[in-house]
Amino acid sequence: ITLAGFVSNIGGESFSATGVFGSIRGDSDAAPAAPAPQTAQAAQAPQAPQEPQAPQAAQAPQAPTGPEDGPGRTASSMPNQGGSGQSEAPATVVKRNGETVPFDQGRIESAIARAGAATGELGGAEAHLLARQVAIRLARRATPAHVEEIQDAVERILLDSGFLGTARAYIVYREQHKRLRSDARVVVDVTNSINEYLDRSDWRINANANQGYSLGGLILNSSGKITANYWLSYVYPPEVGQAHREGDIHIHDLDMLSGYCAGW
């Protein structure tokens, strides 16, 4: 069989010559076909260089708490009583004479600082923080605080913060000023005392039938006022002295430091 005739008899199917002759011989193993060459992979696009990351900001160092300012207490360990959305200071306060005035935190801070300086327990920074805590506590009140109530709050804040020595010094300070105010009320107005006698506008001039309007009467009237204030301020209880001064009761013969009309 010629190669050309065989090819014409197979209907144009394309076989290689090697494959045809192999089939005629009955070979079962045909020559392996050459492997198809692998297609080259598409070149990858070069990656854009990454932008360098910004350096992280260094954390600010924490402020040192400093040496302890009291027995086991530091400025940072004092109680924080503030709250979000809460007023940090009252608007007004009531003075001892009943007058309403604007609140002044600086006066509280100054008093605490003086007491702290006397004991050595705290300084100006701690006094400022403590005064702020007093203001926050007072701001919770529904009505303006009286000056005495403000001083009570200062004592409690000092005790709660562990400044026991300063609290004691502040209590002594309050008592001293209370005594000074009491002494100021005892002081006799010399000018008015003399003029009231000369003008005969003082009812005490006619209180004693045995004493006439004279130079001796002026001396006894003036000295009697001093003696009466001593009785009411330092001998009788405070409520008795207040009752006499306000006219609720009348204590006779206060111008004599000893008994009077007793036959002595």
Side-chain angles (χ1 to χ4, degrees):
I1 301 172
T2 64
L3 177 60
F6 180 78
V7 172
S8 64
N9 290 332
I10 61 177
E13 293 180 6
S14 59
F15 290 93
S16 64
T18 305
V20 172
F21 288 109
S23 299
I24 297 173
R25 291 193 305 266
D27 296 339
S28 60
D29 295 329
Q38 296 180 356
T39 59
Q41 295 180 353
Q44 297 180 354
Q47 297 181 353
Q50 297 181 354
E51 295 182 0
Q53 297 180 353
Q56 297 181 353
Q59 296 182 353
Q62 296 181 353
T65 58
E68 291 186 353
D69 300 298
R73 307 292 294 182
T74 62
S76 60
S77 63
M78 289 185 289
N80 184 6
Q81 300 178 7
S84 59
Q86 184 180 37
S87 176
E88 295 187 352
T92 58
V93 297
V94 181
K95 297 177 64 175
R96 290 184 177 87
N97 61 2
E99 181 185 1
T100 301
V101 296
F103 175 77
D104 185 3
Q105 181 177 317
R107 297 174 64 89
I108 300 175
E109 182 177 336
S110 176
I112 295 176
R114 291 197 300 270
T119 61
E121 281 189 336
L122 57 90
E126 292 81 5
H128 175 75
L129 292 176
L130 290 166
R132 182 173 177 272
Q133 296 304 320
V134 173
I136 293 173
R137 179 172 292 189
L138 295 174
R140 299 173 181 172
R141 295 174 52 93
T143 58
H146 191 273
V147 63
E148 293 292 340
E149 295 171 327
I150 294 175
Q151 294 182 349
D152 291 341
V154 171
E155 290 183 9
R156 288 192 295 268
I157 287 292
L158 288 171
L159 293 172
D160 293 343
S161 301
F163 297 111
L164 304 183
T166 303
R168 286 193 292 268
Y170 185 78
I171 293 171
V172 172
Y173 162 84
R174 288 186 65 183
E175 185 61 30
Q176 289 175 345
H177 277 255
K178 180 180 179 182
R179 183 175 294 275
L180 288 175
R181 289 190 299 271
S182 176
D183 291 343
R185 291 193 297 268
V186 177
V187 175
V188 176
D189 189 334
V190 176
T191 302
N192 286 335
S193 180
I194 300 296
N195 288 334
E196 286 174 352
Y197 188 87
L198 295 177
D199 297 339
R200 301 192 179 196
S201 58
D202 187 357
W203 62 269
R204 296 177 185 85
I205 297 176
N206 300 320
N208 191 347
N210 299 324
Q211 177 181 308
Y213 179 75
S214 62
L215 177 60
L218 172 62
I219 295 173
L220 291 174
N221 180 273
S222 299
S223 62
K225 291 180 180 179
I226 297 174
T227 305
N229 276 286
Y230 181 84
W231 274 104
L232 298 175
S233 299
Y234 299 106
V235 178
Y236 286 106
E239 56 272 15
V240 175
Q242 181 178 359
H244 176 87
R245 289 187 172 102
E246 294 179 355
D248 297 330
I249 61 174
H250 177 75
I251 304 176
H252 192 55
D253 292 337
L254 289 174
D255 54 350
M256 292 291 178
L257 190 58
S258 61
Y260 180 68
C261 293
W264 298 348

